[in-house]
Amino acid sequence: MADNTCKACRDDYKVTEAQMQRILQTSAFAPERRVDAQQYQERLQLCSTCPKLSDGVTCTACGCIIPVVAWLKERACPLPGGGRWGKLIGQAPGGSVATVAE
């Protein structure tokens, strides 16, 4: 019978730190596309308490590698209602950064 679990969820495949670092060096993760380090850490903290996080790396709700996608401004938590990241200060549901008119 075929194994229908996602590749990153199987014991025979684990994403390495070197692979994550190589991904983060691509133009998709240019500095202007990233959240700041504080928001990144807040996102990781929120994910660390989520039952959908597998092995501290993979979101089983969307299949993303959290230590990688948590850097991206345009990404949002896939859980309903803005998910966990939508609760961050300055973070609007859907992943965009909320702005305040002066």
Side-chain angles (χ1 to χ4, degrees):
M1 185 184 285
D3 183 358
N4 292 328
T5 59
C6 75
K7 187 160 76 167
C9 296
R10 295 192 318 241
D11 286 335
D12 62 337
Y13 182 88
K14 297 292 178 198
V15 177
T16 67
E17 183 66 30
Q19 290 169 318
M20 287 188 269
Q21 290 304 315
R22 191 170 58 241
I23 293 167
L24 291 170
Q25 298 303 313
T26 67
S27 61
F29 293 88
E32 65 273 7
R33 300 187 74 189
R34 291 182 181 212
V35 298
D36 62 38
Q38 179 181 349
Q39 190 168 21
Y40 173 73
Q41 290 302 320
E42 290 171 350
R43 286 177 169 191
L44 292 181
Q45 177 60 35
L46 289 167
C47 289
S48 73
T49 62
C50 182
K52 297 288 187 182
L53 188 65
S54 176
D55 292 327
V57 176
T58 305
C59 175
T60 59
C62 66
C64 291
I65 302 167
I66 295 302
V68 173
V69 299
W71 279 111
L72 293 173
K73 288 179 183 178
E74 71 268 9
R75 292 303 300 261
C77 173
L79 299 178
R84 291 175 177 250
W85 295 357
K87 294 171 177 57
L88 294 174
I89 296 172
Q91 179 90 18
S96 62
V97 176
T99 57
V100 177
E102 294 184 31

